[in-house]
Amino acid sequence: MAEVVLQNVMKNYGPLYAVNDVSFTVEHGEFVALVGPSGCGKTTTLNLIAGLIPITGGDISIGNRIVNELDPKDRDIAMVFQNYALYPNKTVYKNLAFPLQMRRLPKAEIERKVKAAAAVLDITHLLERKPRQLSGGQQQRVALGRALVRDPAVFLMDEPLSNLDAKLRVQMRSELKRFHHNLDATVIYVTHDQLEAVTMADKMAVMNGGALQQYDTPANVFAEPVNTFVASFVGSPAMSLIPLTAATRGAQTVLTSPEGWELPLSPENARKAQASSTPNVILGARHSTLKLQPTKVPGSVPGKVYTVEPTGDVTFAQIFISEAVVNISLDPSVQIEPDQEVWVEFDQGKMHLFDAETTMALRAK
Ligand code: ATP
C-alpha cells in the first residue's frame, strides 16, 4: 500500500497538452477513479503514474518516493488493462505464476502466492484451465490475479471492464469493489463511465481537456459540481442546464427567460445570482428535484413535453423549457403526452446556479 501524489503534472505532445497541470493525492488504500470523456487525458495520466511514458513537467511520487525517472518495473505498481493479454497456451496457474517466475521467486512461495490470489478472486477451481476455456468475467479475474500475485503498492487499472457485456460489467463492478475492500489496496482506475466511477470509487478525479476539473468523493461531486462541465457529466440522466438572465424586481431577484417568464429566487439563490460576473446565469436542476404540475404554482415555469420514456419503475420525460431540454423523473402512474403544455416546479434548496461566462458554480457571498 502506498500514497500516490501528483503535483503539477504536465504531458504535452507538441502544442497539445494531454495532461495540463494536474495535482491530486491518492491516500493509502483509496480507490480513485479518473473519469472524463474520450481524449480528456485519463489514460495519459495513468500511463505517467505507471512510467510507460515520460513526464513533461511536475512530480509523481509513490510511497513518498519521487518516481519521475524510475522504470515501470521499479515503481511497485501492477497494471490491469481492458485487454487482459493472458498467455493463451498457459494454464491459469501458469499465467498467475509467470510474473513471479520472472522475479525468480522460490517455487514454494510462488505456489503460496498463486493459491492465495486464486482464493481471493474465487478462481481456485479454474487453475488448470486455459484462457479460452474461461468466460470473459473469469478471464478478467485471472488478469486481476496476475496483478494481485505481485503484491504491488498500487494497482493501476485502465478500463478493465469495458470488454465485458453490460450484465457482467455490473457484476464485476461489485467484485472489484469487494477486491479493493478485502485487500485494502490502493487503486487508480480509469473509466469514461461516470456510473462506474460513482459506484466504485472513494474519490473521483473528473478531467476535461487535460485539466482536472474536480477531485472529491462521488457524493460531493454530485451534490456540489464546481462547473457546468462536471454538472452535466456526473449523474444519469444528466443535470439539465437552462441559460437565463438575472434581474431585480424591487427587493426580489428573479431569473428571466427570453420568452418573458420569471422565476423568483430564494434569498440564498439571489445572493448566488448576484455573485455572477454578468447577469447571464445558468440554472441547473437534477431530474429528481423537479416536479411536474398541471397548472401554474409558485416557483414553477412553463414547459412543453418533448418525449416520454417509461422504464418500468420510473418514467423519464424530456421537457422543453425556454431554450433547453430538461430531464425530469416521474412516477409511472403520471400520464403525459408529447407536446402537452405543463408547469415545472423547481426546488430552491436543490437548484444549482452557474456563471454563464466562466461556467463556474455560483456560491452565496
Ligand atoms: P479515451 O477514453 O478515448 O482513451 P483518454 O481520456 O484516456 O481518452 P488520452 O488517451 O489520455 O485520453 O489522450 C489525451 C489526449 O492526448 C488526446 O487528445 C490524445 O489524442 C492525445 N494523445 C495521447 N497520446 C498521444 C501521442 N502518443 N501522441 C500525440 N497525441 C497523443
Side-chain angles (χ1 to χ4, degrees), residues 25-85:
T25 297
V26 181
E27 284 167 26
H28 299 273
E30 255 182 352
F31 190 128
V32 165
L34 301 183
V35 63
S38 181
C40 72
K42 332 178 268 294
T43 294
T44 306
T45 304
L46 198 77
N47 289 344
L48 288 169
I49 300 170
L52 299 178
I53 49 174
I55 194 166
T56 310
D59 283 317
I60 297 175
S61 65
I62 300 177
N64 294 324
R65 187 171 61 137
I66 294 205
V67 297
N68 294 9
E69 307 297 329
L70 288 185
D71 276 354
K73 67 175 174 30
D74 299 324
R75 293 190 181 203
D76 204 3
I77 49 128
M79 286 200 83
V80 183
F81 297 97
Q82 57 177 272
N83 144 12
Y84 333 119

Side-chain angles (χ1 to χ4, degrees), residues 13 17 24 47 49 68 75 111 133 137-138 147 153 181 188 197 201 241 281 293 304 328 333-334 339 346 359 361:
Y13 294 104
Y17 279 83
F24 60 87
N47 289 344
I49 300 170
N68 294 9
R75 293 190 181 203
E111 184 171 341
Q133 298 168 307
Q138 290 168 333
H181 176 82
I188 307 180
L241 299 170
V281 167
Q293 301 288 359
K304 193 173 192 182
I328 177 164
S333 62
V334 176
D339 296 329
F346 285 81
T359 77

